[in-house]
Amino acid sequence: MLILCSNGLSSSALKSSLSSTIKSGKSALVVTADNEYKENNYHVARCISELNSLHLDVDIIDIDKQPIQDLLIYDVVEFIGGNPYYLLNSLKKQNAKKVLQKIASEKVLIGWSAGALVMTPTIGIINVFSPEMNQWGITDFSAMNLTDIEVKPHYNKFLKRYDCFEERCQKYEKDKGIRLIQLNDGEGISITQGKEILIR
């Protein structure tokens, strides 16, 4: 199961969607996307609490320091938000796609914000709005491509933050021939064997 969401398992609807799948076990909270604060990211305590509420023990993992294969022992793996360029670069350095595919097909893989963007075909949408985040000169925005869905997380917040947000998203959709799924905080999309369920 692959779950793409805006800001973690931050709603009862998201947690309920997992409660029938997850009874207990071990989870990994991957903090790599926050290249500055890592495990001290201010969302970490909340994410741990959300995973604990599903009867999951939680280990904090940074794939900049640990091999991506270490994630295979976990029942649930959650990637937090941060800088999508940095996270994508780290995943590509580790040739992470096959490991992530295995987790998504056999267990539960959760990505939110930057963690969701890197699971899709490309992080190109973020380059429309925040190219200044690309401090590493990345020119290939192709991502892990675990689904053909592309998302725009934090939709309501970004509507207020960026000028002409919706119009620029529509232009991106038209230029790329795709459809972006908008996700507000507390919302997500679950993908299992190609079946998509929007959770709101």
Side-chain angles (χ1 to χ4, degrees), residues 42-199:
Y42 71 99
H43 292 290
V44 165
R46 171 181 62 84
C47 291
I48 290 172
S49 177
E50 289 165 0
L51 291 167
N52 286 161
S53 74
L54 293 167
H55 310 290
L56 293 164
D57 296 326
V58 183
D59 291 337
I60 295 177
I61 300 289
D62 179 5
I63 63 166
D64 285 338
K65 300 176 182 177
Q66 295 157 263
I68 193 76
Q69 289 78 11
D70 284 2
L71 297 179
L72 291 170
I73 68 169
Y74 294 96
D75 303 292
V76 177
V77 175
E78 178 176 336
F79 281 77
I80 73 167
N83 188 310
Y85 299 97
Y86 185 86
L87 178 57
L88 182 60
N89 197 42
S90 294
L91 290 169
K92 286 184 174 180
K93 283 180 180 177
Q94 290 237 27
N95 296 311
K97 182 171 181 176
K98 286 185 178 180
V99 169
L100 296 177
Q101 282 177 324
K102 186 173 179 64
I103 296 167
S105 64
E106 298 177 6
K107 300 179 182 182
V108 177
L109 178 61
I110 303 164
W112 58 267
S113 194
L117 290 168
V118 298
M119 303 303 171
T120 70
T122 173
I123 65 167
I125 185 60
I126 201 69
N127 204 57
V128 173
F129 296 100
S130 299
E132 74 282 355
M133 294 178 73
N134 184 4
Q135 301 168 27
W136 301 272
I138 294 168
T139 56
D140 178 6
F141 303 132
S142 61
M144 296 294 101
N145 201 24
L146 303 187
T147 173
D148 58 5
I149 289 171
E150 291 190 46
V151 296
K152 39 185 172 180
H154 312 300
Y155 180 72
N156 281 347
K157 291 180 179 177
F158 284 178
L159 268 176
K160 299 172 184 175
R161 182 180 303 176
Y162 297 106
D163 291 337
C164 303
F165 179 74
E166 189 55 42
E167 291 84 352
R168 292 160 75 186
C169 285
Q170 288 172 4
K171 183 179 186 305
Y172 177 86
E173 290 176 310
K174 184 177 179 181
D175 290 347
K176 302 296 182 182
I178 57 96
R179 181 174 66 94
L180 290 164
I181 296 177
Q182 63 188 52
L183 297 174
N184 294 317
D185 289 356
E187 299 178 342
I189 184 163
S190 168
I191 306 156
T192 307
Q193 295 179 339
K195 183 179 179 183
E196 305 157 13
I197 300 174
L198 201 55
I199 303 162

